[in-house]
Amino acid sequence: MKPILLTKTTLWCRAASEFFLALRPDAMVFAGENGDPMPEALRETSMIVSFLSPWIVPASALEACAGPAVNFHPAPPEYPGIGCYNFALYDAAPLYGATCHHMSPVPDTGRLVAVRRFPMYPTDTVSLLKERTMVHLLALFYEIAALLAQGAPLPECAETWTRKPYLRRELDELGRVTPDMYPDEIRRRVAAMRFPGAPGAFLELAGVRFEAAG
């Protein structure tokens, strides 16, 4: 059975794919986008590696996998789920990071393998934070993928996820501003939600939605 890498089509993902194939030429790489059908090959594989994958691997595929199944999450354990950059910026967190963890049927809940952390800055935006995260996430991928290719034991991280994964509705709520909020609260929400091509912070009045410019 061949190992499988699930990923997207971005520059960072292509770098991960090339490295993985150099280590395991027999691997199957599936690069897709949100909404693409789940690869059928997941039903029979010796290893599943997810790097920014658009797919949530079902429990049946995880149970059938003959070897390890790990995911690379673009955030530290304090920010599982969706909107990790946004919530970290809103919280003005001093540190951010990248995480590798064993996959479980509920995304971002499996045992942690390794965490890389780095400082956040007052001038950070979602775009800047994402770019720095990709550097650390790819470096972490190189480290763990090499171990997987060798069949070596993976590290065991003493850290744990600190909360349940953030959901889409929680991210949507972070973007909501209301007239009774203090100006600083509004500024924090607008800054945390500003990213090109993504919905920004919004205000609803009389059934009309007003969205902050990107």
Side-chain angles (χ1 to χ4, degrees):
M1 293 187 288
K2 299 180 178 181
I4 287 177
L5 172 63
L6 303 175
T7 188
K8 289 186 177 179
T9 57
T10 67
L11 176 65
W12 300 102
C13 293
R14 288 198 297 273
S17 300
E18 291 172 2
F19 183 76
F20 197 68
L21 285 170
L23 295 173
R24 290 295 303 263
D26 61 328
M28 293 184 289
V29 175
F30 297 94
E33 299 299 333
N34 293 333
D36 288 351
M38 181 79 66
E40 288 292 328
L42 277 178
R43 299 179 184 276
E44 194 170 324
T45 179
S46 60
M47 180 192 305
I48 302 174
V49 181
S50 172
F51 184 83
L52 303 175
S53 168
W55 299 289
I56 295 177
V57 179
S60 57
L62 294 176
E63 292 170 0
C65 182
V70 298
N71 178 56
F72 291 83
H73 178 63
E78 293 82 7
Y79 296 99
I82 194 172
C84 39
Y85 306 117
N86 311 88
F87 288 108
L89 285 169
Y90 175 77
D91 292 341
L95 296 174
Y96 198 69
T99 301
C100 176
H101 64 95
H102 294 280
M103 281 194 270
S104 63
V106 178
D108 299 345
T109 61
R111 289 183 296 112
L112 302 188
V113 174
V115 179
R116 280 177 175 257
R117 296 182 185 275
F118 56 88
M120 287 182 61
Y121 304 111
T123 53
D124 266 330
T125 62
V126 176
S127 294
L128 289 173
L129 182 58
K130 180 179 179 179
E131 287 301 308
R132 292 214 315 287
T133 302
M134 290 300 103
V135 174
H136 290 273
L137 189 68
L138 188 58
L140 181 59
F141 176 83
Y142 289 158
E143 176 185 323
I144 300 302
L147 295 175
L148 290 169
Q150 298 164 11
L154 295 180
E156 294 184 9
C157 183
E159 295 190 60
T160 59
W161 301 103
T162 63
R163 55 156 292 139
K164 293 180 179 180
Y166 284 102
L167 303 175
R168 167 61 65 180
R169 59 177 173 79
E170 294 174 288
L171 179 59
D172 291 342
E173 191 58 33
L174 179 65
R176 183 185 301 276
V177 298
T178 58
D180 60 328
M181 287 180 178
Y182 288 110
D184 182 62
E185 176 69 12
I186 294 175
R187 282 192 290 268
R188 288 172 62 198
R189 290 180 180 238
V190 170
M193 296 297 292
R194 183 175 287 127
F195 186 76
F202 65 94
L203 170 70
E204 289 184 340
L205 293 174
V208 179
R209 176 172 170 141
F210 301 88
E211 191 168 301

